[in-house]
Amino acid sequence: MAIHQQGQKMDDMTRILPSNCSKVFVQRDFSDGTAVKFQTKFPPELEGKVENEHFVRTISTLNTMFSEAESLTSRNYCESCFACLTAYLSYLCFDTHYEKVLKKVGKYIAEQNQTVYVPRGLMLVDPVERGLRTLEICILNETNGR
């Protein structure tokens, strides 16, 4: 388990979010329909905190992962048919393709936080925690004047 500079475990970073940190929200992109896809437009609030290339690469990778999760393949079709045949009890025994990809997204976000964002005073919040409505980015070393 990775240790952050202040001696905190990276897994604990999501639980230690300061309630008064500034937040930037990357909204969903509905230009291609209702599939989970986030806008790659660089938020002006992140100017000077993270490079545009890192941000766009992170968002593009997340968009690709969500596209993979929602793809229709013969494997997903068979998984769904098997679930119907077992009255959905099979879902008690194994994760669905979608759940596996969501776990992969969580690991990717944790890795990006550790290598790119937390060292720059930022932290990505897993969009699953926000109901896949938005991608939240916390600016850790700033407080808003509330």
Side-chain angles (χ1 to χ4, degrees):
M1 191 163 295
I3 304 294
H4 187 256
Q5 294 167 350
Q6 285 83 18
Q8 299 167 339
K9 295 179 182 176
M10 284 302 297
D11 291 344
D12 293 340
M13 289 300 294
T14 57
R15 292 184 213 110
I16 301 176
L17 277 180
S19 60
N20 60 349
C21 73
S22 298
K23 297 178 182 184
V24 177
F25 295 96
V26 178
Q27 300 300 320
R28 292 264 302 267
D29 180 1
F30 292 103
S31 62
D32 295 331
T34 58
V36 178
K37 181 178 176 185
F38 295 99
Q39 297 174 357
T40 55
K41 182 180 177 226
F42 189 75
E45 298 90 348
L46 299 181
E47 193 68 44
K49 296 181 183 343
V50 68
E51 296 79 15
N52 186 19
E53 297 79 30
H54 284 300
F55 174 80
V56 171
R57 187 177 323 121
T58 300
I59 300 298
S60 296
T61 302
L62 287 173
N63 288 341
T64 301
M65 289 175 156
F66 283 115
S67 176
E68 174 193 338
E70 296 178 354
S71 66
L72 297 175
T73 64
S74 58
R75 181 178 186 269
N76 295 351
Y77 178 77
C78 290
E79 181 181 282
S80 296
C81 289
F82 183 67
C84 286
L85 291 172
T86 62
Y88 295 94
L89 293 175
S90 62
Y91 287 152
L92 297 174
C93 301
F94 64 88
D95 289 337
T96 64
H97 171 71
Y98 197 83
E99 291 169 329
K100 289 176 186 175
V101 174
L102 289 182
K103 287 179 183 179
K104 193 166 106 173
V105 166
K107 288 179 185 177
Y108 176 73
I109 288 176
E111 181 262 324
Q112 286 297 295
N113 276 334
Q114 182 180 6
T115 59
V116 178
Y117 292 94
V118 171
R120 291 172 171 83
L122 304 170
M123 189 173 86
L124 299 175
V125 176
D126 192 339
V128 172
E129 294 181 27
R130 301 293 175 258
L132 298 176
R133 295 176 315 235
T134 185
L135 175 65
E136 182 180 324
I137 303 172
C138 292
I139 303 174
L140 300 174
N141 54 4
E142 286 184 14
T143 59
N144 54 15
R146 291 184 195 175

